[in-house]
């Protein structure tokens, strides 16, 4: 185990489902690398693995949707994290609707935002997508127990991580 792995293993940050649509193709994946990166103006950076089909679709679109899941939504997390869109039409198995620019928005997600891609940047084996939030949905009652890295640790990835 690399020393940095011990450091990151101690973190328990949110997991997100990121969705994209380009030229009639939809894609989505479970993402552990994402964070607000600016308050004024508001910006959010989400990192997609270069091996993932979602990254390929995201490269051809100007909008992405970022969804937070509740801790008990493991079936949805397993679908988007453990299946690959190369073999599975994930959107045939969930309720969704088109958001801004046609980006797929998952109906079951209690909180989500759609954002315009302002910039892309390489970062090792992931591509960062800097998003400008355009439409935001969150529960009226505030917070909820969200799915985190530790809660999703046993979901085998649909694509290899190395």
């Amino acid at each position: 185990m690399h020393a940095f792995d011990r450091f990151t293993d101690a973190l328990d940050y949110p997991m997100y489902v990121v969705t994209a649509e380009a030229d009639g193709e939809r894609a989505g994946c479970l993402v552990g690398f994402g964070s607000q990166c600016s308050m004024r103006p508001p910006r959010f950076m989400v990192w997609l693995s270069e091996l993932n089909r979602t990254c390929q679709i995201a490269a051809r679109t100007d909008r992405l949707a970022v969804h937070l899941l509740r801790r008990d939504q493991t079936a949805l997390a397993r679908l988007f994290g453990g299946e690959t869109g190369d073999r599975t039409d994930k959107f045939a198995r969930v309720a969704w609707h088109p958001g801004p620019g046609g980006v797929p928005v998952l109906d079951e997600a209690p909180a989500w935002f759609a954002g315009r891609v302002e910039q892309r940047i390489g970062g090792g084996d992931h591509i960062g997508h800097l998003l400008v939030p355009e439409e935001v949905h969150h529960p009226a009652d505030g917070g909820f127990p969200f799915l985190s890295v530790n809660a999703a640790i046993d979901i085998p990835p649909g694509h290899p991580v190395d």
Side-chain angles (χ1 to χ4, degrees), residues 22-160:
D23 306 317
E25 289 186 82
R26 291 180 299 275
C29 63
L30 190 64
V31 173
F33 302 146
S35 177
Q36 179 180 353
C37 57
S38 175
M39 294 186 303
R40 307 238 184 313
R43 297 291 184 269
F44 192 93
M45 181 69 90
V46 64
W47 296 88
L48 303 176
S49 169
E50 291 179 343
L51 299 176
N52 196 302
R53 181 173 178 271
T54 304
C55 191
Q56 297 166 15
I57 304 299
R60 302 188 340 247
T61 187
D62 61 351
R63 290 192 172 66
L64 299 175
V66 178
H67 306 78
L68 269 174
L69 303 181
R70 290 185 318 274
R71 194 175 300 140
D72 64 354
Q73 291 182 294
T74 54
L76 194 56
R78 284 186 184 284
L79 174 62
F80 281 91
E83 299 287 334
T84 174
D86 298 327
R87 295 185 297 271
T88 303
D89 181 357
K90 300 174 192 182
F91 296 92
R93 298 171 56 186
V94 298
W96 65 276
H97 65 275
V103 67
V105 173
L106 305 177
D107 292 347
E108 293 181 52
W112 58 269
F113 79 92
R116 179 180 51 80
V117 178
E118 183 172 77
Q119 184 178 358
R120 291 180 179 89
I121 184 170
D125 58 1
H126 283 62
I127 302 295
H129 297 74
L130 182 62
L131 302 178
V132 177
E134 292 183 312
E135 185 175 332
V136 180
H137 172 81
H138 57 85
D141 62 356
F144 54 89
F146 58 82
L147 183 72
S148 67
V149 168
N150 287 336
I153 198 74
D154 66 336
I155 298 174
H159 278 280

